[in-house]
Amino acid sequence: MRLLLKPALSRSWRDSETLQFGTVRRYAGVLEHVDRPLRDFLGLIDGTRDRPALLAAAERTGLGREPTEALLDTLERTGLLDDADATREALARFPQPHRDQLEPDLASLSLVHSGPGAGPAVLARRAGQRVEVRGAGRIGAAVAAVLAAGGTGTVTVADAGRVGPGDCSPAGLPPSDIGRLRATAAREAVHRVRGRRPAPRTRRAPDRRPPDLVVLAPRDGSGAFAGGTYAAKQLLRGGIPHLYVGVVEELGVVGPLVVPGVSACGHCLVLAREDEDAVWPRLLAQIAEEGPGRARTPACDTALATAVAGLAALHAQLHLDDVRPPSVDGWCEVSASDGMTRRLRLRGHPDCGCLWQPMPPG
Ligand SMILES: [Zn+2]
């Protein structure tokens, strides 16, 4: 393993001999008594040498083997070191120009996942993951594009009909797609963010693997209210994690992210709302896309939709990267009226049964 001082961390001198790595306190590490030889040695931790080579170099410069061993241990423990080979191998899983685009994403992962090689391992895993987004509106198409840009290997978008003006957003489908098939336009958006030409439709057999995650982002915004829809029940039965996301009126919602058999589901949320308002399921049925009570011009603020799509993509990535996002057993709301975000807790509802026993996959 060739060691590298994480390039994501800034280096600033607190005084003439105290070097601080990083700015955000949580990731900041401070080295004291940094004299000229030590400063030169730190310059050698540039991804071209493994530990034995670094120790040999330290002995040559008179730093001494044992102090250098201790220094490297401290740097590793503080989360300042990465594995340069793992970094190269992770990026090599992505074709150009996407590979270069992903360097800042990998730099971020190297801070979130501390040990040498931990961040690169997460990025490498993303390359093999598959996410299915249902809904190619202002939010769904943007979530798909952001996930694809962030390294999720396969992102598919399912929707019917043709792109309307209200489906467009700077993060998803451009106005030049108006009138085109939504599924085609979304597929091209996913390719575009990776800097590639859209792949021609091939006769290749479809991927039969179940997706690692399904994002439910229906264009009518009903994803904001979760719901015990037929599709959601199928996902629960199949053991497939799924995330609800939507904007309704001036409220954007991310969550719940349902891990079947482990966390509260969308139906739990419907039952919880029904406890507060007995006619809630009746209202929900009427405001859905085909319902008679649907708003004539559904509200969807562009800035709110973009924030919600970004937050949903972040939660999806956290889940796929084995970090529990706050939309598990909860949901997050973003309001267009004050810009505030808040997280609400969701418990498994006793009448739902989704947590009675783990659902067998398949
Ligand atoms: Zn449930």
Side-chain angles (χ1 to χ4, degrees):
M1 183 194 296
R2 276 177 280 202
L3 294 172
L4 175 70
L5 275 168
K6 286 181 179 172
L9 292 170
S10 58
R11 298 178 199 188
S12 41
W13 293 93
R14 299 180 67 87
D15 58 44
S16 61
E17 286 204 330
T18 308
L19 181 58
Q20 174 171 325
F21 293 88
T23 314
V24 179
R25 181 175 288 263
R26 186 169 162 198
Y27 301 114
V30 173
L31 270 190
E32 292 171 327
H33 313 300
V34 184
D35 53 13
R36 186 73 205 213
L38 180 51
R39 193 188 296 202
D40 292 344
F41 176 73
L42 291 174
L44 300 178
I45 313 177
D46 61 356
T48 60
R49 296 167 184 84
D50 59 13
R51 195 177 173 107
L54 285 168
L55 291 172
E59 276 187 305
R60 277 196 301 275
T61 57
L63 276 181
R65 190 178 181 88
E66 281 185 15
T68 308
E69 291 259 21
L71 171 70
L72 290 174
D73 288 345
T74 302
L75 293 175
E76 179 172 339
R77 204 172 46 245
T78 326
L80 302 185
L81 290 183
D82 214 339
D83 175 350
D85 297 317
T87 297
R88 256 188 303 276
E89 282 160 22
L91 287 169
R93 300 194 63 166
F94 300 88
Q96 288 289 25
H98 195 202
R99 186 183 304 166
D100 289 346
Q101 280 171 241
L102 281 167
E103 281 193 25
D105 297 75
L106 178 55
S108 173
L109 284 172
S110 79
L111 301 182
V112 177
H113 302 270
S114 173
V122 169
L123 183 68
R125 204 167 60 227
R126 281 186 189 174
Q129 285 169 335
R130 188 159 90 83
V131 175
E132 181 182 318
V133 180
R134 297 186 185 170
R138 194 166 268 189
I139 294 171
V143 171
V146 173
L147 286 175
T152 301
T154 307
V155 182
T156 58
V157 189
D159 206 341
R162 292 180 182 274
V163 178
D167 297 331
C168 299
S169 89
L173 304 180
S176 55
D177 277 341
I178 291 171
R180 302 183 68 213
L181 289 172
R182 284 196 180 96
T184 306
R187 184 165 54 90
E188 291 185 5
V190 162
H191 283 284
R192 202 162 42 235
V193 295
R194 294 172 175 148
R196 294 165 72 187
R197 289 178 168 281
R201 272 209 173 282
T202 60
R203 286 166 187 264
R204 203 176 48 174
D207 195 340
R208 297 282 180 211
R209 285 179 303 154
D212 297 290
L213 179 74
V214 171
V215 178
L216 298 164
R219 273 177 286 109
D220 62 11
S222 60
F225 295 130
T229 61
Y230 178 72
K233 283 184 191 133
Q234 294 289 99
L235 292 170
L236 268 181
R237 277 200 202 103
I240 298 171
H242 48 285
L243 169 66
Y244 292 91
V245 55
V247 168
V248 164
E249 297 167 5
E250 83 283 17
L251 191 69
V253 178
V254 177
L257 193 158
V258 181
V259 184
V262 174
S263 72
C265 77
H267 191 51
C268 290
L269 181 53
V270 173
L271 289 171
R273 288 200 165 112
E274 195 178 351
D275 289 343
E276 293 172 8
D277 181 356
V279 299
W280 171 248
R282 187 188 293 180
L283 297 178
L284 190 57
Q286 292 174 72
I287 58 180
E289 187 170 23
E290 303 303 329
R294 187 172 186 256
R296 291 204 186 145
T297 305
C300 190
D301 182 273
T302 298
L304 178 66
T306 307
V308 163
L311 190 62
L314 181 60
H315 286 204
Q317 280 180 340
L318 285 169
H319 169 73
L320 294 168
D321 297 346
D322 284 335
V323 180
R324 182 186 165 102
S327 48
V328 171
D329 284 331
W331 72 95
C332 296
E333 293 184 352
V334 190
S335 166
S337 45
D338 57 14
M340 294 288 285
T341 58
R342 60 180 188 149
R343 192 245 180 193
L344 296 100
R345 190 169 166 193
L346 175 65
R347 289 191 173 86
H349 196 284
D351 293 344
C352 180
C354 68
L355 296 176
W356 287 352
Q357 59 183 40
M359 300 265 174

